[in-house]
Amino acid sequence: MQTTIYSINDKTIKKAVELFNASEVVAVPTETVYGLGAVGTDSVAVKKIFEIKGRPSDNPLIAHVHKDYDISKLVYIEQDYVDKLIKAFTPGPLTMVFNSKGVVCKEAVGGGSTLAIRIPSHEGCQKLLKALDKPVVAPSANLSKHTSPVTAMHVYNDLNGKIEMILDGGKCSGGIESTVVDCTDKVPRILRAGLITKEMIEKVVGACLIAEHKSSDKVRSPGVKYKHYRPNCQTALYNENEIDLAIKRYDKEASEGKRAFIMCRDDLKGEFFGKNLLLLGKTEEQIASNLYDKLLEGEKIADIIIAIAMPDEKNINLGIMNRMRKSCE
Ligand code: TXA
Ligand code: MG
């Protein structure tokens, strides 16, 4: 199959809608990462997503809808705080998990009884969802376990020959996947950290729990094991107070003829004078936005990426560290 990248506009949106309605999958831009979409009520199309990605069938997908879509057609909204979350954070990088009404097919939700809903803010994506006017289930548009794509070219590199159409909506501004919040209980619970933080949710609804593993335990990991978000090269992760160890590691790898790169925040670059660098930016937002892009750039030019951890796990740093740790495990 020939894979073509099309710039997203009214004409290509029309073509994408035709493909969606013909049980095909299409890669679409969002403000977080690119998604591999299919109509959520179409089990034939949904099964293609799992096959193409090599994704375990019990890992549920997020249903994406436009901002005027009545989500109560898909799910039971049982908690009062949901309205506040919707008003404050949508359209945007927030995914809410509800009890499902079963409209979206069971293949999309791993046979479970809940459904995750997201209203993306990316303008082209909104236009597409509006034109289709159906829920689009979409995981990140990468092969399972690989780093998530933040450009159309990243999608192409993973899925070339496996899908017909990639809609190019530019580089994703957010850069890490949406915050997933379980909204079935009295207090919202973050299942996956992201750009909408615990602190932001607490401000709007009072309380917010974190279900995610938030360990500050040992971050260094020399492993070459293939896991979630991993680039196709060796990786290692060092804490900020282990810069001397990171430098030693770099020198050792380089002395063995390996192309080593340090991946760090801009303000640390003075510590690594004369070394190959992948710079992530200054602010938390910039770092989140650049993380996958730099990992995917790194896998092309480096034998090993030596990453330096964020100084804490507050606010957006929690989501960043969650990805950094997994991608460098
Ligand atoms: O930003 C994003 O969320 C991107 C873009 C494309 O929208 N999508 C994305 O999808 O990251 P995916 O499939 O790579 O990750 C979805 C996450 C997984 O951790 C999945 O387990 C969780 O959301 N999830 C989906 N449905 C769920 C449900 N019903 N209950 C609990 N977790 C769910
Ligand atoms: Mg993913």
Side-chain angles (χ1 to χ4, degrees):
M1 185 185 296
Q2 168 125 12
T3 303
T4 310
I5 300 177
Y6 299 87
S7 177
I8 192 164
N9 57 44
D10 290 351
K11 208 170 129 201
T12 55
I13 283 174
K14 194 159 168 263
K15 185 174 161 62
V17 167
E18 282 166 17
L19 284 172
F20 276 126
N21 284 327
S23 296
E24 290 303 332
V25 300
V26 177
V28 297
T30 83
E31 73 281 15
T32 56
V33 301
Y34 275 73
L36 183 62
V39 172
T41 50
D42 182 343
S43 58
V44 171
V46 169
K47 279 184 198 154
K48 289 183 186 172
I49 292 180
F50 286 89
E51 273 161 34
I52 290 168
K53 276 187 62 101
R55 180 178 175 109
S57 62
D58 60 353
N59 194 1
L61 304 178
I62 296 170
H64 299 70
V65 295
H66 64 77
K67 61 179 174 6
D68 303 317
Y69 192 92
D70 177 7
I71 62 171
S72 68
K73 286 201 280 192
L74 305 178
V75 292
Y76 298 99
I77 300 174
E78 292 152 318
Q79 306 298 335
D80 292 342
Y81 59 76
V82 171
D83 275 349
K84 292 183 187 164
L85 289 180
I86 290 176
K87 272 204 192 89
F89 303 119
T90 71
L94 178 76
T95 295
M96 294 166 291
V97 175
F98 302 103
N99 283 311
S100 176
K101 289 191 173 172
V103 177
V104 166
C105 66
K106 63 180 189 321
E107 287 81 2
V109 292
S113 60
T114 57
L115 176 67
I117 304 262
R118 174 156 129 69
I119 307 164
S121 62
H122 187 286
E123 203 187 318
C125 186
Q126 268 291 322
K127 274 193 185 164
L128 169 69
L129 291 169
K130 188 92 192 178
L132 181 66
D133 202 26
K134 293 176 182 172
V136 168
V137 292
S140 48
N142 51 283
L143 293 175
S144 198
K145 301 190 178 81
H146 193 212
T147 312
S148 304
V150 293
T151 67
M153 208 54 215
H154 293 157
V155 179
Y156 186 87
N157 291 340
D158 262 22
L159 302 183
N160 180 23
K162 298 187 174 207
I163 59 174
E164 201 175 317
M165 182 181 215
I166 300 170
L167 284 172
D168 186 350
K171 186 184 169 205
C172 305
S173 55
I176 58 172
E177 299 85 347
S178 61
T179 306
V180 179
V181 182
D182 181 346
C183 295
T184 62
D185 260 333
K186 291 225 154 41
V187 178
R189 204 160 47 103
I190 294 181
L191 305 177
R192 178 177 71 182
L195 295 171
I196 307 296
T197 63
K198 176 182 195 286
E199 291 82 355
M200 288 160 75
I201 294 174
E202 277 169 347
K203 259 191 198 150
V204 171
V205 305
C208 178
L209 303 170
I210 294 192
E212 209 172 36
H213 177 64
K214 193 200 158 187
S215 78
S216 308
D217 41 47
K218 215 172 152 197
V219 295
R220 189 166 1 113
S221 144
V224 287
K225 259 164 107 181
Y226 203 67
K227 294 215 179 131
H228 215 149
Y229 309 123
R230 278 201 55 82
N232 292 320
C233 66
Q234 217 189 331
T235 51
L237 181 60
Y238 289 86
N239 282 320
E240 207 182 308
N241 61 8
E242 297 177 322
I243 281 178
D244 52 334
L245 291 180
I247 290 174
K248 265 194 197 139
R249 179 70 180 271
Y250 181 102
D251 290 341
K252 178 175 170 283
E253 300 287 349
S255 74
E256 289 169 7
K258 293 220 185 109
R259 295 168 303 167
F261 277 74
I262 301 277
M263 187 175 81
C264 65
R265 307 194 306 273
D266 287 10
D267 59 294
L268 292 178
K269 71 178 174 199
E271 306 274 352
F272 302 106
F273 184 74
K275 304 210 180 310
N276 296 323
L277 294 177
L278 293 161
L279 290 176
L280 291 171
K282 292 190 178 74
T283 64
E284 289 177 21
E285 284 84 359
Q286 284 171 0
I287 292 164
S289 171
N290 290 327
L291 181 63
Y292 291 154
D293 193 37
K294 291 295 165 187
L295 286 168
L296 290 167
E297 182 188 334
E299 73 175 18
K300 293 217 170 334
I301 55 178
D303 296 309
I304 178 163
I305 298 174
I306 299 167
I308 310 298
M310 302 302 286
D312 58 49
E313 297 198 21
K314 292 180 197 136
N315 299 300
I316 298 173
N317 282 347
L318 178 64
I320 295 173
M321 279 315 300
N322 172 273
R323 271 59 169 205
M324 249 199 206
R325 197 170 276 123
K326 284 191 174 148
S327 60
C328 294
E329 251 168 7

